[in-house]
Amino acid sequence: MLRRRSQTSVDDTPVPVDDPKPQGKGRPTPKRRVAEGKRRQYVSAPKDRKEAYRQMRAKQAAERDRARQGMLAGDERYFPARDKGPARKFAREWVDSRRLPSQYFLPFSLVILLATWVPWPMAIRAQVLGYVVTIGWPIMMIGVLFTSVYVAWKVKKVVAEKFPDESVRGVGFYAAMRALQIRKLRFPPPTVLPGGKPVPPKK
């Protein structure tokens, strides 16, 4: 019986993965290692160091683009360590849902700078610089300082109450620095509008 069984010939030719014909009776199933080998995508090895460097840069650029798209979409997996966690998310939403005086610091500074560059007549220029130095800057700096201290204290306090298991270290400073940024330049981008409503999805 062993001799007869060994004389039986079986066609074990592997069937191509992309074979359009269905596998019916009389046609053996392709071996696993052969089928998996067909599905693998072979990457050509770089020919020289320059080609290897080019491939590495292309891969890094693709990874950076994927990470940026993930951050823009609000996927926390792509956030840097400083932006991860429920405490940091709450701090961002707390700041983004309010209009704070400190967020106008950079636009105000730009207006002041442009005003000093305008070729005013000497008398008017002296008055403009006088108002800027004696009134404008002091008021703005006091407002920014007061707002930053209040935001840091308030956010840290609320986070400690809402997330008792989360560390509050640095969360107040994190919120204060975000409050200094222009809203459109904040990153990760805001997910709530001033007032607390969610940002509508982009079409």
Side-chain angles (χ1 to χ4, degrees), residues 108-126:
F108 178 79
S109 301
L110 181 60
V111 170
I112 294 285
L113 185 61
L114 293 177
T116 58
W117 285 355
V118 174
W120 307 100
M122 292 301 298
I124 298 178
R125 182 179 179 82

Side-chain angles (χ1 to χ4, degrees), residues 28 33-34 60 69 72 98 100 129 145 159 162 169-170 189:
R33 64 174 181 272
V34 177
Q60 291 175 347
Q69 294 299 327
L72 290 174
R98 290 163 173 79
L100 301 167
L129 292 177
L145 179 62
V159 166
K162 292 179 68 68
R169 183 178 180 181

